[in-house]
Amino acid sequence: MNETANQFKKAPKRKKEKARSVSVSPEMRQAYADLIKEREEREAYAQHLPAEGGKR
């Protein structure tokens, strides 16, 4: 009976770890933003293409 009482108790809360931050140069930040924009444009373009493996 004692085992079942312990089985359904709430787990103790975990201690939050300190977040790590990374400093990036403005050029790198702009390059990353351009990369994300290019990827989104490519995905939007590919969305309108017919699925591969269709009839020929």
Side-chain angles (χ1 to χ4, degrees):
M1 183 76 174
N2 193 13
E3 289 177 20
T4 57
N6 289 335
Q7 184 178 6
F8 298 109
K9 283 188 178 179
K10 245 185 183 178
K13 297 213 173 194
R14 293 185 181 192
K15 205 182 250 189
K16 291 185 179 180
E17 292 184 19
K18 189 175 179 181
R20 298 180 191 149
S21 62
V22 178
S23 58
V24 183
S25 68
E27 295 86 16
M28 286 293 293
R29 189 174 302 195
Q30 185 61 40
Y32 187 67
D34 293 342
L35 181 73
I36 291 172
K37 186 177 178 183
E38 184 180 315
R39 185 184 302 153
E40 288 174 350
E41 288 172 356
R42 208 178 313 132
E43 287 175 357
Y45 176 76
Q47 185 178 15
H48 301 291
L49 296 177
E52 289 183 25
K55 293 182 180 178
R56 286 191 164 185

